[in-house]
Amino acid sequence: MAKHSFFVTGTDTGVGKTLVSAAILHAARTMGKHTLAMKPIASGCDRTPEGLRNEDALILQNAITEPLAYELINPVALEPAIAPHVAAEQAGRHITSDRLVGFCRGLQIRPADLLLVEGAGGWRVPLNDRETYSEFPRHLAMPVILVVSLRLGCINHALLTAEAIRSDGLRLAGWVANRTESEPMSCEQDTLNYLVNHMGAPCLGILPWLEQARPEMLASYLNIDGLFEN
């Protein structure tokens, strides 16, 4: 059974959740840990001879140490590159948190040191008309790792997301600051100092902007020892 499971969310879409997740998986690999990962819902999938495939899910598949069939990593693959609940509706599918929980529990029973589950978009992305994605980790009581893109407005987005995570009864296990633009944001160090002092959770790393960023290159910027302490 997976000893440590975490849900990876972001302050918004396009903040680098997949890159950060894969970097964490590579960092765990260097520590000799056995790892699993999944991206339960992925929109923006490409048609291939093997079926619908999502670039982010393939990155996760390449980063884990334990072999997994693609369908276990990404059980809900949707072609349109739009919000998951809209893509599902267009595909005639109905996504529920209970169904996603079932997929995840199938992986949790596998032996591993670490299981990362990457969400879609931010904390309140809809699954359907009644549920948001946050229902999924809440049902599993899964601690959360938050990816914060270092750009104007990130303090507000990060603190509001952290507040929402805790109000849903979940533990914020840590957060990762990710430089998603080539030019550093104005007053970046002041922003980082404020977040470190007010997030109420450890900063697991500050990832630099790299033109050809690869997860294995970014793993060295992370300190994930604390994820394995409890």
Side-chain angles (χ1 to χ4, degrees):
M1 185 171 184
K3 297 177 182 176
H4 302 278
S5 299
F6 298 93
F7 183 77
V8 181
T9 191
T11 49
D12 199 351
T13 190
V15 299
K17 291 188 301 298
T18 300
L19 191 63
V20 170
S21 297
I24 291 173
L25 292 167
H26 277 283
R29 181 195 293 262
T30 64
M31 298 168 65
K33 305 294 186 182
H34 298 279
T35 61
L36 298 167
M38 69 182 304
K39 186 178 177 71
I41 308 171
S43 54
C45 296
D46 298 319
R47 290 192 176 274
T48 75
E50 293 78 30
L52 291 175
R53 293 293 184 268
N54 176 263
E55 181 181 4
D56 292 346
L58 291 172
I59 289 173
L60 295 178
Q61 187 177 39
N62 184 63
I64 58 179
T65 63
E66 310 306 291
L68 282 179
Y70 179 86
E71 290 74 17
L72 295 177
I73 295 171
N74 175 214
V76 182
L78 303 166
E79 188 171 6
I82 54 179
H85 72 293
V86 179
E89 183 177 351
Q90 291 185 1
R93 304 181 67 173
H94 183 64
I95 304 172
T96 66
S97 59
D98 283 345
R99 188 177 180 202
L100 298 186
V101 166
F103 291 138
C104 185
R105 283 185 172 148
L107 281 190
Q108 283 186 312
I109 63 174
R110 292 175 176 249
D113 298 299
L114 175 66
L115 167 63
L116 288 189
V117 182
E118 183 191 334
W123 187 245
R124 294 293 189 216
V125 164
L127 286 181
N128 51 56
D129 287 340
R130 297 181 299 103
E131 297 179 304
T132 65
Y133 216 140
S134 57
E135 291 294 319
F136 164 71
R138 191 175 67 81
H139 284 318
L140 291 165
M142 189 176 286
V144 181
I145 296 171
L146 176 62
V147 180
V148 179
S149 174
L150 290 176
R151 55 196 185 201
L152 187 63
C154 67
I155 291 177
N156 178 65
H157 295 158
L159 294 182
L160 283 176
T161 304
E163 180 182 320
I165 290 168
R166 293 187 176 108
S167 71
D168 284 342
L170 296 177
R171 178 172 65 92
L172 181 60
W175 59 281
V176 177
N178 186 32
R179 294 187 178 100
T180 53
E181 299 174 1
S182 57
E183 291 295 322
M185 68 175 293
S186 177
C187 303
E188 180 184 87
Q189 191 57 53
D190 293 313
T191 296
L192 285 168
N193 291 343
Y194 191 92
L195 288 172
V196 167
N197 291 328
H198 291 83
M199 284 291 282
C203 178
L204 304 178
I206 301 168
L207 304 188
W209 162 266
L210 297 175
E211 186 68 35
Q212 301 292 331
R214 296 196 303 274
E216 58 269 28
M217 298 166 60
L218 297 172
S220 62
Y221 293 91
L222 295 169
N223 180 358
I224 62 169
D225 291 355
L227 298 182
F228 301 98
E229 289 178 356
N230 296 325

